Amino acid sequence: MANRISILMYHQVGEFRPMKKHRAGYCDHRRFATQMAYLGSFGYRVLDLDRVLTCLRGDLPIPPRAVALTFDDGYADFIRYALPVLQRHGFPATVYAVSGLVGQRAEWLREDPKRVIPELMSAAQLREIQSSGIRIGSHTASHPRLAGMSRDRQTRELSESKATLEDLLGERVEHLCYPYGSFDLDAVRAGAEAGYVSATTCLRGPAEPSDHPLALPRKAISFGDNLIGYFWKLAVKNRPKPRLIQWRQRLADESSC
Ligand SMILES: [Zn+2]
């Protein structure tokens, strides 16, 4: 029986000129369509995050070729380029929105003056994708690096964004994604206290039953991934990176205290 789930991390899906840096932030929409068709044709089971948690807890078996789709930041282009493809295949997905920047731009990307600063979805657009079956998760209030931040500020970022998005969407927001993959033990605790049931990271590897639900690893899909690279990440590249192994140990120690 399968014992792992590939949670895929996408950022922007759209039309881009080839780039050298930040390639994990972009996916060409034609490649995205091919990747989704590949999942559909080769019997991959695309699960929503609630189902991922149910399977990781052992309440349901993990199906073979289990995959989940996540999209960080809530880029407005998602509606044009990713949503129709997901709908065509009937695939569930989660979009992580930054509650303090709804309807604005991805201000945090200004750290790099050469980057294009894309638009983020408005409240109406988030509701539109929600009504199309996309799940909205939180990507905090202001997209900060949570690791090393005071516990109070972590709590504010996580609780405020949850409350704001829940008001805006009229449904519970229970899935979290740490911006930049930056988190520490306090952030995990703050996330649990705020009421999140899952949190995804940028730790690289497949999710397994031993994973802490608030520190789930993912596989980043990059601009450079052609179908061979995609297959490689899904089916072959399953060895956890050292940092993931360290975090699994640290969180297992924490849970057993
Ligand atoms: Zn982000």
Side-chain angles (χ1 to χ4, degrees), residues 11 72-73 75 96 98 108 139 143 177-181:
H11 285 79
D72 291 18
D73 304 327
Y75 294 105
Y96 296 112
V98 182
W108 66 92
H139 203 32
H143 204 280
C177 172
Y178 303 115
Y180 310 101

Side-chain angles (χ1 to χ4, degrees), residues 54 61 74 83 105 113 147 155-156 168 173 176 179 196 201 208 217 226 241 247:
T54 306
L83 183 62
R105 285 181 181 270
T155 298
R156 268 206 307 282
L168 194 144
V173 171
L176 169 68
Y196 291 102
T201 67
E208 296 180 358
N226 60 15
K241 294 272 188 192
W247 266 109

Side-chain angles (χ1 to χ4, degrees), residues 86-243:
L86 294 169
Q87 285 183 311
R88 194 154 68 234
H89 292 284
F91 289 162
T94 301
V95 167
Y96 296 112
V98 182
S99 66
L101 291 172
V102 170
Q104 301 180 48
R105 285 181 181 270
E107 297 298 334
W108 66 92
L109 296 179
R110 294 193 196 279
E111 279 182 359
D112 180 345
K114 291 202 181 115
R115 279 189 96 163
V116 177
I117 310 300
E119 278 179 41
L120 302 173
M121 274 185 263
S122 66
Q125 289 172 318
L126 287 172
R127 285 192 210 103
E128 179 190 334
I129 65 165
Q130 178 193 28
S131 66
S132 307
I134 302 296
R135 197 75 187 271
I136 315 292
S138 162
H139 203 32
T140 73
S142 69
H143 204 280
R145 288 181 172 78
L146 291 167
M149 188 182 270
S150 76
R151 180 73 181 270
D152 274 2
R153 212 180 139 210
Q154 286 180 338
T155 298
R156 268 206 307 282
E157 282 284 345
L158 302 184
S159 301
E160 269 181 31
S161 65
K162 188 173 192 295
T164 304
L165 290 171
E166 286 179 347
D167 280 352
L168 194 144
L169 298 165
E171 72 171 15
R172 292 179 74 167
V173 171
E174 297 183 302
H175 300 289
L176 169 68
C177 172
Y178 303 115
Y180 310 101
S182 166
F183 73 104
D184 55 17
L185 279 177
D186 275 346
V188 172
R189 293 186 194 114
E193 280 169 23
Y196 291 102
V197 297
S198 86
T200 47
T201 67
C202 297
L203 297 170
R204 299 287 203 260
E208 296 180 358
S210 59
D211 277 311
H212 190 292
L214 274 87
L216 295 174
R218 291 189 290 176
K219 297 180 177 183
I221 302 305
S222 165
F223 186 79
D225 285 326
N226 60 15
L227 212 46
I228 296 168
Y230 196 68
F231 164 78
W232 183 262
K233 281 184 180 170
L234 278 171
V236 183
K237 208 171 174 190
N238 280 317
R239 193 180 294 178
K241 294 272 188 192
R243 217 174 134 243

Side-chain angles (χ1 to χ4, degrees), residues 22-96:
H22 311 297
R23 285 160 71 88
Y26 304 93
C27 180
D28 179 88
H29 65 95
R30 287 158 289 243
R31 276 202 169 161
F32 180 73
T34 308
Q35 291 167 0
M36 295 304 107
Y38 172 82
L39 295 180
S41 305
F42 286 87
Y44 280 85
R45 289 286 302 279
V46 184
L47 312 178
D48 66 27
L49 283 181
D50 288 329
R51 185 63 174 268
V52 167
L53 293 177
T54 306
C55 290
L56 291 177
R57 270 200 309 270
D59 292 340
L60 280 174
I62 298 176
R65 301 186 180 193
V67 169
L69 303 171
T70 65
F71 297 81
D72 291 18
D73 304 327
Y75 294 105
D77 274 358
F78 176 88
I79 294 179
R80 177 170 175 195
Y81 290 111
L83 183 62
V85 181
L86 294 169
Q87 285 183 311
R88 194 154 68 234
H89 292 284
F91 289 162
T94 301
V95 167
Y96 296 112

